[in-house]
Amino acid sequence: MGYRVFNGYPYFVYNGFRHRYSSVDLCDYDLIDSYSDTVESSYYGLRCSQAYDQCAWDRDIYNDGERDFRYFCAEKIDRYFL
């Protein structure tokens, strides 16, 4: 877990998943409640590293309160690319 570079691109690895972590590119992250599949908070229009850090901070606070891994951060992707 932690900061890693794959194929020259920066990622943050958490719980087996890669999250974009560029200090240049913009990302849209959501804090997701895995029990209800709802968005608790959004972190949009920020540099990837900033958006992920803010989401991860809140995720950890929420999960500590639940004493579980209920909440996770996910990057929102445009449906056009799916």
Side-chain angles (χ1 to χ4, degrees):
M1 293 211 287
Y3 178 80
R4 300 283 188 268
V5 175
F6 295 103
N7 295 323
Y9 194 89
Y11 291 93
F12 194 88
V13 178
Y14 178 80
N15 216 15
F17 293 94
R18 287 189 296 186
H19 303 277
R20 290 195 308 153
Y21 201 73
S22 170
S23 60
V24 177
D25 295 335
L26 298 179
C27 289
D28 295 332
Y29 276 102
D30 289 319
L31 178 63
I32 309 294
D33 179 342
S34 67
Y35 290 5
S36 64
D37 290 326
T38 57
V39 174
E40 288 294 318
S41 297
S42 298
Y43 312 85
Y44 292 178
L46 301 169
R47 284 182 256 155
C48 296
S49 57
Q50 292 175 313
Y52 182 78
D53 286 348
Q54 289 180 18
C55 184
W57 177 268
D58 290 344
R59 176 203 64 212
D60 292 347
I61 291 170
Y62 277 66
N63 283 337
D64 284 349
E66 293 289 325
R67 295 186 178 175
D68 197 0
F69 293 103
R70 176 177 178 168
Y71 298 90
F72 65 94
C73 296
E75 184 178 4
K76 186 177 185 99
I77 298 175
D78 191 330
R79 287 186 151 295
Y80 176 79
F81 295 107
L82 295 178

